[in-house]
Amino acid sequence: MGRPRTPLLDRERITTTALQLIDETGDFSVPQIARRLGAQTGSVYHHVDGRDGIVELLRERVASAIDPGTLELTPWDKALEAWARSYRAAFAAHPRTIPLLMTSPVRAPRVLEQYERAVSLLLAAGFDRAGIMPLIIALENLVLGSALDLTAPETMWELTDRTRTPHLAEALAAVGEGRADRAFEVGLTAFLDHARALRDEPLPADSN
């Protein structure tokens, strides 16, 4: 038999299949990918650096939906806000990747480049170098937590007659639809206000 005109395996197909498995089940394995693609497990390893390599391909695939142009906006707080919104939208499309990616070191070159741009943005805006990564990590925690929240039921509190919670019931009724979006707006506004306050603080005497 001749070889198929379209290869069964390449990095794009492996990444797409792994992402489908995660969207469906929350995880993936190399044998599962091989079965879906009609290939041998060993053949998958010829194209990727094991499971860790696939995780980085997944990180790069999901993060590719983040608009890199947001970090070119001015002023800096407008850029950071637009980046956060685009970041949230990218991961909200594949929320089950979040636990997997958050427990693995970032190695994907294109993702590291985006962090470099974010750090450069904050340095140029006058932030203390020592405070930049805590600020970015805090923003990521807000963004990724909110992306997960978008997949949760609209009503996360089930009230029962066994526990008297009249104030909670009234507060829940007052929220209306879009609970996750409204919560994200509260968090993002608070984050940006805090970031502006940090920027306006005088730098320590030993800062460069």
Side-chain angles (χ1 to χ4, degrees):
M1 294 179 64
R3 292 183 178 180
R5 293 182 180 179
T6 303
L8 289 175
L9 289 177
D10 59 33
R11 290 162 70 90
E12 286 296 312
R13 286 184 176 81
I14 291 169
T15 306
T16 297
T17 303
L19 189 55
Q20 289 170 347
L21 286 166
I22 293 171
D23 286 343
E24 294 168 10
T25 69
D27 203 355
F28 75 93
S29 70
V30 177
Q32 285 176 315
I33 292 171
R35 282 195 298 272
R36 286 221 173 172
L37 292 173
Q40 296 296 317
T41 299
S43 300
V44 176
Y45 288 107
H46 291 308
H47 298 269
V48 296
D49 186 18
R51 180 180 171 88
D52 288 346
I54 296 172
V55 168
E56 285 309 290
L57 289 172
L58 287 163
R59 190 190 308 278
E60 202 162 64
R61 171 72 67 84
V62 177
S64 68
I66 304 172
D67 180 4
T70 55
L71 292 171
E72 303 297 329
L73 298 174
T74 56
W76 66 269
D77 50 352
K78 180 179 179 181
L80 212 57
E81 178 182 355
W83 187 55
R85 294 186 187 282
S86 184
Y87 196 149
R88 179 182 182 241
F91 278 85
H94 302 284
R96 287 186 164 188
T97 63
I98 294 172
L100 182 67
L101 299 180
M102 288 189 73
T103 56
S104 173
V106 180
R107 300 186 185 92
R110 282 187 287 184
V111 178
L112 290 172
E113 287 170 6
Q114 195 158 154
Y115 281 102
E116 174 70 13
R117 293 173 72 176
V119 171
S120 299
L121 169 75
L122 295 176
L123 281 173
F127 281 86
D128 177 21
R129 183 176 285 105
I132 287 176
M133 286 314 298
L135 200 63
I136 290 175
I137 293 167
L139 182 58
E140 284 192 312
N141 289 344
L142 169 64
V143 165
L144 296 176
S146 181
L148 280 173
D149 194 23
L150 285 169
T151 69
E154 185 66 24
T155 302
M156 283 295 295
W157 295 263
E158 293 187 357
L159 307 187
T160 68
D161 293 336
R162 294 193 300 274
T163 305
R164 180 170 168 74
T165 54
H167 293 146
L168 175 59
E170 291 172 0
L172 289 173
V175 170
E177 295 182 359
R179 171 190 58 77
D181 288 331
R182 292 176 65 180
F184 176 68
E185 295 301 327
V186 170
L188 185 57
T189 298
F191 170 85
L192 290 170
D193 286 346
H194 178 66
R196 294 183 190 106
L198 283 179
R199 178 180 175 272
D200 293 340
E201 287 180 359
L203 293 177
D206 60 348
S207 292
N208 294 322

